[in-house]
């Protein structure tokens, strides 16, 4: 069942969400505001999204019976993470519309397939090579040069499963440390800045974009997003065109994020696509408090078959992630004038774990790095 155009939810209908993290939680909260219910499917009993929905399915993605029961309980199914197992997506899609279409996962779960897809659209990426062995890595380095970034093709996030290779590094050791059989090598891009475009596409092909967001990472994890990005209108228009052509080529329904590098060029800065996330994205969290419509609401509207909103930004917006122990400062943040605090209700604050975020509208604090 793929006919996304058939989906037209009514208030009171139920959306199934695969994945129980903070993205699922914020999707469910946005759905609730529109009178829609959500049922969350997650194997983790401590899923933060379980706390905000009436009905939850706590089961493994390989549990066919649980998947079938879940599908029976909901009207449309979406996901908050791109690593939904293909077999689970297939079982669900046979019973209910899955939006965005599950085939999109095949492209976005695999960095090589994703880069090939972006390249076929004529959109720039870092130079890259498929690597399946230490010898292959040497050959790829000979072609692409150093520094370069090696990334596992699958399951990488927040910088996990990747390493920078510099002159003098031993490729055999790098390959052994990565402990994978399939990776890509990318040219290291000396970018001016990193930006992302959060775009929504409805089943009838209409696309609405948020303002381009500028992202600052710390230890490979997003720390601060600022909107709008400090780029020219012309470059922002290019970012919109890129997101729109990716969304259209995928026949996408829902919100997607496109991460891009801004690189200096002789004729002015240009954009290279780094990654596509087929879901709401951390760099779009500012839209919850900083725009008339959030990325979460846009996604819910798109998959419900409802009209997309035209998001209007309320001012200059900064979103600061509370990572690991930083969550302990939540009481201080609660007293900062103008700050809106979001806590995800997660368990222990392990290093690198995204625990919450703070939005500030109308002020742009100085850069932290
Ligand atoms: N080719 C590259 N050149 C320079 N920096 C890179 C490159 N690829 C990734 N990075 C840096 O590492 C971060 C994480 O990489 P990314 O490919 O987005 O993986 P993920 O977000 O899935 O961990 C990027 O946001 C960027 O800061
Ligand atoms: Mg990324």
């Amino acid at each position: 069942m793929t006919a996304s155009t058939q989906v037209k939810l009514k208030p009171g209908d139920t959306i199934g969400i695969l994945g129980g993290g903070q993205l699922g939680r914020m999707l469910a909260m946005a759905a609730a505001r529109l009178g829609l219910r959500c049922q969350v499917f997650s194997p983790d009993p401590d899923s933060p999204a379980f706390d905000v929905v009436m009905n939850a399915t706590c089961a493994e993605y390989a549990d066919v019976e649980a998947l079938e029961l879940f599908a029976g309980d909901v009207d449309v199914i979406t996901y908050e993470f791109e690593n939904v197992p293909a077999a689970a997506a297939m079982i669900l899609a046979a019973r209910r519309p899955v939006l965005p279409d599950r085939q999109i996962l095949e492209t976005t779960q695999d960095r090589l397939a994703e880069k090939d897809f972006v390249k076929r659209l004529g959109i720039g990426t870092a130079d890259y090579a498929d690597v399946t062995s230490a010898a292959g890595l040497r050959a790829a380095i000979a072609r692409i040069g150093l520094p370069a970034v090696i990334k596992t093709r699958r399951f990488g996030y927040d910088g996990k499963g990747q390493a920078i290779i510099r002159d003098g590094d031993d490729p055999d050791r790098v390959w052994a440390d990565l402990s994978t059989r399939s990776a890509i090598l990318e040219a290291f891009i000396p970018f001016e800045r990193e930006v992302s475009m959060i775009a929504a596409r409805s089943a009838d092909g209409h696309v609405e974009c948020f303002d381009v967001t500028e992202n600052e990472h710390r230890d490979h994890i997003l720390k601060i997003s600022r909107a709008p990005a400090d780029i020219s209108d012309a470059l922002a228009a290019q970012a919109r065109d890129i997101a729109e052509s990716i969304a259209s080529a995928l026949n996408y329904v829902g919100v997607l994020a496109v991460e891009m590098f801004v690189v200096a060029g002789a004729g002015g800065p240009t954009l290279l696509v780094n990654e596509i996330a087929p879901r709401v994205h951390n760099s779009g969290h500012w839209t919850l408090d900083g725009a008339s419509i959030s990325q979460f609401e846009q996604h819910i509207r798109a998959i419900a078959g409802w009209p997309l909103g035209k998001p209007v930004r309320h001012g200059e917006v900064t979103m600061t992630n509370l990572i690991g122990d930083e969550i302990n400062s939540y009481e201080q943040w609660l007293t900062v004038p103008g700050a809106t605090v979001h806590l995800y209700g997660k368990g222990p604050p392990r290093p690198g774990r995204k625990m919450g975020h703070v939005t500030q509208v109308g002020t742009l604090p100085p850069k932290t790095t």
Side-chain angles (χ1 to χ4, degrees):
M1 198 184 296
T2 51
S4 54
T5 43
Q6 286 173 4
V7 180
K8 186 91 183 159
L9 300 192
K10 310 174 296 307
D13 284 348
T14 302
I15 295 168
I17 300 175
L18 301 174
Q22 67 269 21
L23 300 179
R25 177 178 169 108
M26 291 185 271
L27 280 169
M29 287 157 74
R33 208 175 69 168
L34 295 175
L36 293 160
R37 300 194 169 99
C38 288
Q39 178 158 340
V40 171
F41 190 112
S42 167
D44 178 2
D46 292 329
S47 292
F50 284 170
D51 293 346
V52 302
V53 293
M54 195 53 172
N55 294 311
T57 307
C58 189
E60 297 297 324
Y61 292 107
D63 185 337
V64 176
E65 197 188 336
L67 288 168
E68 287 174 350
L69 285 170
F70 172 76
D73 284 344
V74 304
D75 299 293
V76 64
I77 296 167
T78 191
Y79 39 88
E80 58 126 44
F81 73 120
E82 54 271 49
N83 288 317
V84 174
M90 199 169 80
I91 290 165
L92 294 170
R95 287 160 180 81
R96 287 290 180 271
V98 173
L99 296 174
D101 191 276
R102 71 192 168 91
Q103 269 143 21
I104 289 160
L105 295 169
E106 284 164 28
T107 307
T108 53
Q109 281 178 353
D110 178 348
R111 292 188 193 275
L112 181 65
E114 185 174 279
K115 285 261 177 346
D116 285 345
F117 162 75
V118 171
K119 197 171 162 184
R120 276 200 304 277
L121 293 178
I123 297 167
T125 67
D127 210 2
Y128 64 95
D130 181 14
V131 178
T132 55
S133 66
L137 178 56
R138 286 180 187 281
I141 291 172
R143 180 166 79 71
I144 287 175
L146 292 178
V149 187
I150 182 105
K151 303 180 181 179
T152 55
R153 277 173 59 175
R154 290 176 177 274
F155 301 121
Y157 71 97
D158 287 346
K160 293 188 176 60
Q162 58 178 274
I164 298 179
I165 312 178
R166 297 191 169 83
D167 263 332
D169 288 344
D170 174 8
D172 291 334
R173 150 111 348 143
V174 170
W175 183 251
D177 286 350
L178 205 63
S179 42
T180 184
R181 286 191 194 163
S182 55
I184 62 169
L185 186 75
E186 289 180 18
F188 182 86
I189 304 299
F191 52 79
E192 282 181 354
R193 55 188 92 236
E194 284 192 81
V195 297
S196 57
M197 177 57 96
I198 310 289
R201 186 172 180 276
S202 56
D204 63 8
H206 181 70
V207 176
E208 285 291 343
C209 291
F210 288 93
D211 291 291
V212 181
T213 305
E214 187 160 339
N215 301 313
E216 203 181 299
H217 292 79
R218 201 175 296 156
D219 302 327
H220 301 281
I221 302 173
L222 182 66
K223 180 58 191 162
I224 294 184
S225 290
R226 295 180 178 82
D230 186 12
I231 58 173
S232 69
D233 290 348
L235 204 63
Q238 275 180 39
R240 265 197 301 280
D241 288 347
I242 287 173
E244 192 158 343
S245 62
I246 288 173
S248 301
L250 293 170
N251 198 19
Y252 199 89
V253 179
V255 161
L256 95 172
V258 184
E259 297 178 9
M260 296 176 240
F261 299 134
V262 178
V263 290
T270 57
L271 295 169
L272 296 178
V273 166
N274 173 40
E275 246 197 325
I276 304 168
R279 53 171 169 79
V280 287
H281 192 259
N282 194 171
S283 68
H285 289 3
W286 64 267
T287 60
L288 273 172
D289 309 300
S292 54
I293 292 167
S294 75
Q295 61 165 349
F296 302 99
E297 177 168 338
Q298 280 293 55
H299 185 76
I300 296 295
R301 288 184 184 212
I303 63 165
W306 292 7
L308 298 179
K310 279 221 174 291
V312 176
R313 191 168 39 77
H314 296 322
E316 294 186 328
V317 192
T318 305
M319 187 285 316
T320 305
N321 267 342
L322 302 179
I323 299 166
D325 283 346
E326 290 167 357
I327 193 69
N328 297 332
S329 63
Y330 74 90
E331 285 202 70
Q332 277 144 273
W333 279 110
L334 289 170
T335 65
V336 173
T340 310
V341 179
H342 298 252
L343 305 178
Y344 304 151
K346 288 185 174 178
R350 291 191 295 271
R353 195 173 193 199
K354 290 173 178 167
M355 304 297 294
H357 73 266
V358 179
T359 321
Q360 290 164 283
V361 182
T363 48
L364 281 185
K367 293 206 174 195
T368 54
T369 50

